Amino acid sequence: MAVTMNDVARAAGVSLKTVSNVLNDYEFIRPATKQKVLDAIAELGYEANLTARSLRSGKSRMLGLVLSDLSAPYYAELASRLMTVASARGYRVLVEQSAALEANELSALHGPFRQLTDGLLFTPLALDADTVADRRGSKPLVMLGEHIEDPRFDLVTMKNIGAAQAMTAHLLAGGRRRIAVLGAAMEDDAGSPGLRLTGYREALAAAAVDFDPALIVPSGWRRDAGASAVGALLDSGVVFDAVFGLNDALALGAMHELLIRGVKVPQDVAVAGFDDIDEARFASPALTTVAPGMEEIAERSVGLLIDRVEGTETSDEGVHIEAGFELKIRASAP
Amino acid sequence: MAVTMNDVARAAGVSLKTVSNVLNDYEFIRPATKQKVLDAIAELGYEANLTARSLRSGKSRMLGLVLSDLSAPYYAELASRLMTVASARGYRVLVEQSAALEANELSALHGPFRQLTDGLLFTPLALDADTVADRRGSKPLVMLGEHIEDPRFDLVTMKNIGAAQAMTAHLLAGGRRRIAVLGAAMEDDAGSPGLRLTGYREALAAAAVDFDPALIVPSGWRRDAGASAVGALLDSGVVFDAVFGLNDALALGAMHELLIRGVKVPQDVAVAGFDDIDEARFASPALTTVAPGMEEIAERSVGLLIDRVEGTETSDEGVHIEAGFELKIRASAP
DNA sequence: ACACTTTTCTGCAACGATGTATCCAGATGC
DNA sequence: GCATCTGGATACATCGTTGCAGAAAAGTGT
């Protein structure tokens, strides 16, 4: 059916292996021979069989991306960029959605997904460092976005603490004193929510503003979670003059609920988010948020992973990359 | 390194082929033998090598999804659902972004991407039917979302015309008479923009409202395009009392621009969109839009493609599925 | 002309699974 | 008692590549 290397070899009057050598840029081939082979390839329309190549070589030129939910705007934008960067280096990205469930994250690390890829970009939400470290096999793994402080892993992340602190400081500078935080559990110390909450507390401390646990509302990270979290807060009668959503979707959901209930943004309550998804710019009012250097994260994480896969990067300790951030001050919290 | 079938065979004291037979549910195996094999598999932690299986069987259990840009919210939500549906049937989805460029769409149809997958879900934006029909190989292809009227292809789409007509009728019923349309070129007849524009014109005709070409603004389909399109319209001095964005991102960008410029939504100008992405519900004001049956589209397109791949669906003519739609009337155009 | 490198090309085995053909043992039929 | 059948297992070839080792050809030095 399909044209194989054998057909090309026959057409070019050389051995099968010579065709392989041409395709793999083997050094010692006479230009004339090479040309014969290339001509035969062009004439027959030969395409290398990637599956066979992959079986033989053990490489698939695919990178795995494990995240909770591709429909979340931050992940969608990140995935899109990661694919573009990977593509430029000749790799494809295979996405696996974990729904932030431990079982799914485990199966992504251990199951067939791992086999199909040369390395993994992993956003752990349910698993802890030790569990991840126990994974079978030894394919490269780059942690993404989450801050699992562990020298065993490569990590590309953002300045969660610093950025949250800067944003909180901005809200404080705007005269806000009762800043509600949506999306973090109090006790939660690892992962983005905990880190961002830490940044928030540091900013409060620096400004000598009291920390009030009543302002901390645990919730999911989607729009509907933000809406119901802020709704519950309003219902509870807790007074607040700003809302810091630990991601943009959350913040936008919260802003929607505030406006629905007649709370003016930013006059009554300022709203800030985190991620700077495209949607934030076009919200009404436009959402003040943290741009966490997604471009940089995409480029460096894919770059690092491919370097690991190809053996270019060899350091024993995990490489640790932290992208810079930028505050985007917009109408929702000027 | 990895455990192979051979190791299992040795451990179980049977032949390699018997292990294969157990894994492939071959009928005639003594329960005792089967158990021995299963025990050995469990003990050694054997996992079938998907690449080898794929080389031998010619199937990869991967479906390709070609779309313009995964970061566009509609596509992100669709891709997420498609993956979930495919996963339930034991397939993975490999995404390829075309950026709506002809070259990329062609390479998705002809290049290595085709090889890696058992079938394609294809959203053609640049290619026409004949070009697609010319593709090499004969792997199943299901057209997605776009309405390429052609019996050669399977197609899962939405009621573009009917839905646009219903939405326009709704705006007319609300007393709007100067409804601007963003995202369509006048002459464009194929594809979603053209079809939705047709629905718009039909609704105008049914209500005996004159069609004014000045109200039709061609533009891209992203938020920034919507913002600049409506900005240009305002600047041009054309009078309008409603905006129909041919997708939600566009409509939301437009709404943002209107509000920025002090135009009241919906009092001065009503805004409607198309797609019902999650963001629409939480916009301020919430966006009136068309829910195009994405759930149904995801389920039926993946179902159809897998049926083709597995040979369950065998009709010679392209199967044609049209999902139902629903108007979501919200505050932006009550 | 001979030994010795270096360049150029080739054959064979292997990657890890599955399809086809076959073989063996026991049951069945007459 | 011998041919026939069927359930249960196996051997071998095969999918389309690449790694390894080595052969053939070409160049080098004396």
Side-chain angles (χ1 to χ4, degrees):
Chain A
M1 195 74 164
V3 182
T4 80
M5 253 186 185
N6 231 319
D7 302 329
V8 174
R10 214 179 348 259
V14 298
S15 81
L16 189 161
K17 191 64 230 274
T18 298
V19 179
S20 169
N21 285 338
V22 169
L23 288 169
N24 292 285
D25 289 318
Y26 179 64
E27 197 177 354
F28 300 116
I29 299 182
R30 249 181 313 186
T33 316
K34 185 166 183 171
Q35 197 52 53
K36 267 197 302 184
V37 171
L38 292 176
D39 289 348
I41 287 176
E43 182 171 1
L44 299 178
Y46 166 79
E47 283 175 89
N49 180 317
L50 299 180
T51 307
R53 176 174 289 174
S54 176
L55 172 61
R56 187 61 243 236
S57 69
K59 302 273 175 197
S60 65
R61 295 192 81 83
M62 288 214 275
L63 307 178
L65 171 61
V66 183
L67 40 74
S68 63
D69 177 7
L70 193 55
S71 70
Y74 175 75
Y75 287 128
E77 292 181 16
L78 180 62
S80 175
R81 278 199 168 79
L82 290 171
M83 285 180 183
T84 305
V85 176
S87 171
R89 292 195 55 178
Y91 283 77
R92 267 169 229 289
V93 174
L94 187 59
V95 179
E96 178 92 342
Q97 302 189 99
S98 70
L101 297 178
E102 189 172 338
N104 294 340
E105 292 191 355
L106 277 173
S107 90
L109 285 183
H110 297 293
F113 187 71
R114 176 191 46 104
Q115 262 196 47
L116 292 169
T117 55
D118 292 344
L120 241 48
L121 293 166
F122 188 58
T123 307
L125 290 169
L127 297 183
D128 58 42
D130 288 336
T131 314
V132 176
D134 277 346
R135 78 188 198 287
R136 274 179 271 175
S138 51
K139 285 186 179 167
L141 174 81
V142 171
M143 295 283 201
L144 210 57
E146 289 297 315
H147 195 115
I148 291 196
E149 272 291 6
D150 198 308
R152 285 173 291 184
F153 305 116
D154 289 335
L155 167 69
V156 179
T157 187
M158 55 187 76
K159 294 201 196 306
N160 280 300
I161 297 181
Q165 186 184 0
M167 180 57 82
T168 309
H170 167 71
L171 294 171
L172 290 167
R176 314 290 170 165
R177 284 297 173 271
R178 305 270 309 157
I179 307 171
V181 176
L182 309 186
M186 283 298 289
E187 51 283 339
D188 193 3
D189 228 9
S192 308
L195 293 166
R196 294 178 192 173
L197 188 57
T198 301
Y200 164 82
R201 296 193 65 161
E202 286 181 5
L204 289 192
V209 172
D210 280 346
F211 171 73
D212 181 355
L215 289 170
I216 310 304
V217 187
S219 78
W221 274 33
R222 298 165 41 131
R223 295 180 191 85
D224 52 0
S228 46
V230 85
L233 199 61
L234 287 171
D235 293 340
S236 74
V238 172
V239 177
F240 59 98
D241 54 13
V243 169
F244 184 10
L246 294 189
N247 82 354
D248 279 353
L250 194 49
L252 290 165
M255 190 159 82
H256 174 79
E257 184 69 18
L258 290 170
L259 294 168
I260 286 286
R261 299 217 188 180
V263 178
K264 293 208 178 73
V265 177
Q267 295 84 341
D268 301 338
V269 171
V271 176
F274 201 117
D275 283 347
D276 194 29
I277 59 179
D278 192 51
E279 178 182 349
R281 252 169 76 209
F282 292 99
S284 304
L287 183 70
T288 288
T289 187
V290 175
M294 190 194 283
E295 195 74 39
E296 191 182 352
I297 290 175
E299 263 166 36
R300 306 207 52 189
S301 59
V302 170
L304 175 56
L305 182 56
I306 294 180
D307 287 347
R308 287 286 191 195
V309 166
E310 298 183 345
T312 313
E313 172 63 60
T314 55
S315 71
D316 285 338
E317 292 245 315
V319 174
H320 192 125
I321 296 171
E322 216 175 41
F325 71 92
E326 195 185 337
L327 293 193
K328 299 284 186 180
I329 307 304
R330 305 204 180 99
S332 75
Chain B
M1 195 73 165
V3 183
T4 81
M5 251 185 186
N6 232 318
D7 303 327
V8 175
R10 213 179 348 260
V14 298
S15 81
L16 189 161
K17 190 66 226 279
T18 298
V19 179
S20 168
N21 285 338
V22 168
L23 288 169
N24 292 285
D25 289 318
Y26 178 64
E27 196 178 354
F28 302 117
I29 300 181
R30 250 182 311 186
T33 314
K34 184 165 183 172
Q35 196 52 52
K36 268 195 304 184
V37 171
L38 292 176
D39 289 348
I41 287 176
E43 181 171 2
L44 299 178
Y46 167 78
E47 283 176 88
N49 180 315
L50 299 180
T51 307
R53 178 174 286 175
S54 176
L55 173 60
R56 189 62 245 238
S57 69
K59 302 274 174 199
S60 64
R61 296 192 79 84
M62 289 214 276
L63 307 178
L65 172 61
V66 184
L67 41 72
S68 63
D69 177 6
L70 193 56
S71 70
Y74 175 76
Y75 286 128
E77 293 181 17
L78 180 63
S80 175
R81 279 199 166 79
L82 290 170
M83 285 180 181
T84 305
V85 176
S87 172
R89 291 195 56 177
Y91 283 77
R92 266 169 228 290
V93 174
L94 188 59
V95 179
E96 177 91 344
Q97 302 189 100
S98 70
L101 296 178
E102 188 171 340
N104 294 339
E105 293 192 354
L106 276 172
S107 89
L109 286 182
H110 297 293
F113 187 71
R114 176 191 46 105
Q115 261 195 48
L116 292 168
T117 55
D118 292 343
L120 240 49
L121 293 165
F122 188 58
T123 307
L125 289 169
L127 297 184
D128 58 43
D130 287 335
T131 315
V132 176
D134 278 346
R135 78 189 198 287
R136 275 179 271 174
S138 51
K139 285 187 180 167
L141 174 81
V142 171
M143 295 283 201
L144 210 56
E146 288 298 315
H147 194 116
I148 289 196
E149 274 289 8
D150 197 308
R152 285 172 292 184
F153 305 116
D154 289 334
L155 167 68
V156 179
T157 187
M158 57 187 75
K159 294 200 196 306
N160 280 300
I161 298 181
Q165 186 185 358
M167 179 58 82
T168 308
H170 167 71
L171 293 171
L172 290 167
R176 313 291 171 165
R177 285 296 173 275
R178 306 270 309 156
I179 307 170
V181 176
L182 309 186
M186 283 298 287
E187 51 284 337
D188 194 2
D189 227 10
S192 306
L195 293 166
R196 294 178 190 173
L197 188 56
T198 302
Y200 164 82
R201 296 192 65 162
E202 287 181 6
L204 288 192
V209 173
D210 280 346
F211 171 74
D212 181 355
L215 290 170
I216 310 303
V217 187
S219 80
W221 273 33
R222 299 166 39 131
R223 296 180 191 84
D224 52 359
S228 46
V230 85
L233 199 61
L234 287 171
D235 292 341
S236 74
V238 172
V239 177
F240 59 99
D241 54 12
V243 169
F244 183 11
L246 294 189
N247 81 354
D248 279 354
L250 194 49
L252 290 164
M255 190 159 81
H256 174 79
E257 184 71 17
L258 289 170
L259 294 169
I260 287 287
R261 297 217 188 181
V263 178
K264 294 207 178 75
V265 177
Q267 294 85 340
D268 302 337
V269 171
V271 177
F274 202 115
D275 283 348
D276 194 29
I277 58 179
D278 192 52
E279 178 181 350
R281 252 169 77 207
F282 292 99
S284 304
L287 184 68
T288 289
T289 187
V290 174
M294 190 193 283
E295 195 75 40
E296 190 182 352
I297 289 175
E299 264 164 37
R300 306 209 50 190
S301 60
V302 170
L304 175 56
L305 182 56
I306 294 181
D307 287 348
R308 287 286 191 195
V309 166
E310 298 183 345
T312 313
E313 173 63 59
T314 56
S315 71
D316 285 339
E317 291 246 316
V319 174
H320 192 127
I321 295 171
E322 216 176 40
F325 71 91
E326 195 185 338
L327 293 193
K328 299 283 186 182
I329 307 305
R330 305 203 181 100
S332 75

